[in-house]
Amino acid sequence: MGNGIAVAGNMTVDQLKKIDIYPEQSKLTTIREISCSLGGAVCNCLIDLAKIDSNIPLKAISIIGNDDMGDYILNTVGQYKNIDLSRVIREGRSSFTDVMADETNKTRTFFFFRGSSSKFSDKYIDLDNIDADILHIGYILLLDGMDAKDEKYGTVMAKVLCKAKERGIKTSIDVVSEESNRYSKLVPPSLKYTDYCILNEIEAGKTVGISLRSNNGKLIAENIKEVLRKIRDMGVSRWIIIHAPESSFGLDENNNYYTVPSLKLPKDFIKGTVGAGDAFVSGVLYSAYKGYTMEKAMEIGAAAAAWSLSEADSVSGMKPFKDVIELYERMPKQTEIFI
């Protein structure tokens, strides 16, 4: 390897609003603080990767608007000299997300304006000129053009992943968490052409129709192996990793099963949860690029996610690789045993 990692999908602006508590319908809450930062798979993963290792060649493939938000995206991501922005097209209005960050329980709720990212499709991805070892695309369910039906491959996303693999590029996907029944229709077509499938427990469960959370929020650990096997049966060729706050779980290319506990963080360490999932993905992608084992990748992903939690926005908390490793070795681990 040596050609780097390309990330395709949406680049958005997160308008973060810290609120006392998320209100019931028709009720009022107080906004305590407002800030602006970047979001979306392309911004989050590429900046995280650039912070982890400033020497890896990184490529952004996306659409942003011809507006002030688009300028903000380019100016901010452009500060990282190893990120190539030449494949970012400007059309229409930029995507943005209003993020409501509940200060009581540290959860967040998203209101997303798709904007120009809804147009993003295969015509914006020139596979012959990407020159990358890994292509990561995010997010399924959030890119209308990529989720569109394709008669041969099922979805446009699946077609892009297939064509990438034909060119010797390893592929990776991520899915957005939403309240819908679209998972079983839109995710499986892409899995046939995916090398690295990295999902949270909600997304993985909805993809195969097996819940991994009980009604009271408890992780249903006994279902995890079955979910991993079903995702394998859908065609993922290398790593399948499910990450959850308690732990991460995975099957490698030889169907070896691994469980890696999350870090037990002090309460005052956690400033917000926006971007933690993409940080985990970034740690895994970095590890795959460097040739580490899947188990090591899960450890790096857990530590990268923990650093992300140390700041309120998506990317400010990320640290260089040596600090990521040091955090995993230093911090206590979650002690509950999962099968």
Side-chain angles (χ1 to χ4, degrees):
M1 288 192 174
N3 293 323
I5 300 171
V7 182
N10 60 346
M11 304 177 82
T12 72
V13 174
D14 285 346
Q15 299 180 124
L16 180 66
K17 299 174 174 68
K18 291 186 178 180
I19 59 178
D20 286 344
I21 189 170
Y22 195 84
E24 297 178 11
Q25 188 173 350
S26 301
K27 299 295 178 63
L28 179 143
T29 192
T30 298
I31 299 174
R32 296 296 180 183
E33 186 178 327
I34 299 174
S35 61
C36 196
S37 62
L38 297 185
V42 178
C43 294
N44 291 349
C45 290
L46 287 181
I47 292 177
D48 282 342
L49 285 163
K51 286 190 163 193
I52 291 171
D53 189 335
S54 61
N55 295 313
I56 293 182
L58 301 169
K59 290 95 174 175
I61 306 170
S62 188
I63 308 174
I64 59 174
N66 279 307
D67 50 26
D68 290 344
M69 286 187 180
D71 294 340
Y72 174 64
I73 291 169
L74 286 185
N75 291 336
T76 305
V77 180
Q79 296 174 22
Y80 300 89
K81 302 307 180 185
N82 58 326
I83 300 178
D84 178 359
L85 293 167
S86 63
R87 298 167 183 83
V88 177
I89 307 300
R90 303 197 69 172
E91 294 180 6
R93 296 180 62 187
S94 294
S95 305
F96 68 87
T97 306
D98 279 340
V99 184
M100 303 300 172
D102 188 322
E103 289 293 278
T104 302
N105 59 18
K106 301 301 181 182
T107 60
R108 73 271 197 238
T109 304
F110 304 95
F111 298 88
F112 182 58
F113 174 69
R114 278 172 159 75
S116 56
S117 70
S118 64
K119 303 177 183 177
F120 188 74
S121 67
D122 55 330
K123 74 176 186 178
Y124 295 95
I125 305 177
D126 184 2
L127 291 170
D128 291 328
N129 292 298
I130 285 181
D131 193 28
D133 296 307
I134 298 174
L135 171 63
H136 175 70
I137 308 180
Y139 312 96
I140 298 174
L141 303 185
L142 205 57
L143 299 167
D144 297 341
M146 298 293 278
D147 289 335
K149 184 177 181 180
D150 182 272
E151 292 298 332
K152 180 176 180 181
Y153 298 95
T155 65
V156 172
M157 171 85 87
K159 179 173 72 173
V160 170
L161 295 169
C162 178
K163 299 300 183 184
K165 285 178 70 69
E166 288 175 353
R167 288 162 172 78
I169 302 171
K170 293 183 175 65
T171 58
S172 170
I173 60 101
D174 197 1
V175 182
V176 73
S177 296
E178 71 170 25
E179 291 296 332
S180 80
N181 58 2
R182 299 195 300 154
Y183 288 82
S184 60
K185 177 182 178 181
L186 295 180
V187 179
S190 291
L191 298 182
K192 291 180 285 187
Y193 311 107
T194 295
D195 290 295
Y196 306 108
C197 175
I198 311 156
L199 308 174
N200 69 28
E201 77 281 14
I202 304 302
E203 297 154 0
K206 285 180 176 291
T207 296
V208 302
I210 299 174
S211 180
L212 292 179
R213 287 280 174 198
S214 65
N215 290 334
N216 63 6
K218 185 176 177 59
L219 186 69
I220 308 175
E222 58 268 27
N223 287 351
I224 287 171
K225 285 186 178 179
E226 184 179 1
V227 171
L228 288 167
R229 285 193 293 266
K230 284 185 175 294
I231 293 174
R232 171 71 77 210
D233 291 342
M234 291 177 176
V236 177
S237 59
R238 292 176 183 263
W239 297 353
I240 308 165
I241 298 174
I242 298 172
H243 57 94
E246 299 90 342
S247 183
S248 58
F249 313 86
L251 281 181
D252 68 11
E253 59 270 36
N254 298 312
N255 285 323
N256 296 312
Y257 175 74
Y258 297 96
T259 301
V260 171
S262 300
L263 302 184
K264 185 178 290 187
L265 302 170
K267 188 174 182 179
D268 59 359
F269 185 93
I270 301 175
K271 303 296 190 301
T273 55
V274 177
D278 284 327
F280 185 95
V281 170
S282 299
V284 172
L285 289 175
Y286 178 79
S287 303
Y289 180 76
K290 300 295 284 187
Y292 300 149
T293 66
M294 190 187 75
E295 185 175 23
K296 185 69 173 178
M298 292 161 68
E299 294 176 358
I300 294 169
W307 274 123
S308 176
L309 294 170
S310 69
E311 296 292 346
D313 66 74
S314 298
V315 296
S316 295
M318 189 55 65
K319 297 291 188 293
F321 181 67
K322 64 180 180 61
D323 296 315
V324 174
I325 288 294
E326 188 273 337
L327 185 71
Y328 190 83
E329 294 174 347
R330 170 170 58 89
M331 295 298 292
K333 313 302 186 291
Q334 298 286 352
T335 54
E336 186 173 355
I337 297 174
F338 297 101
I339 60 172

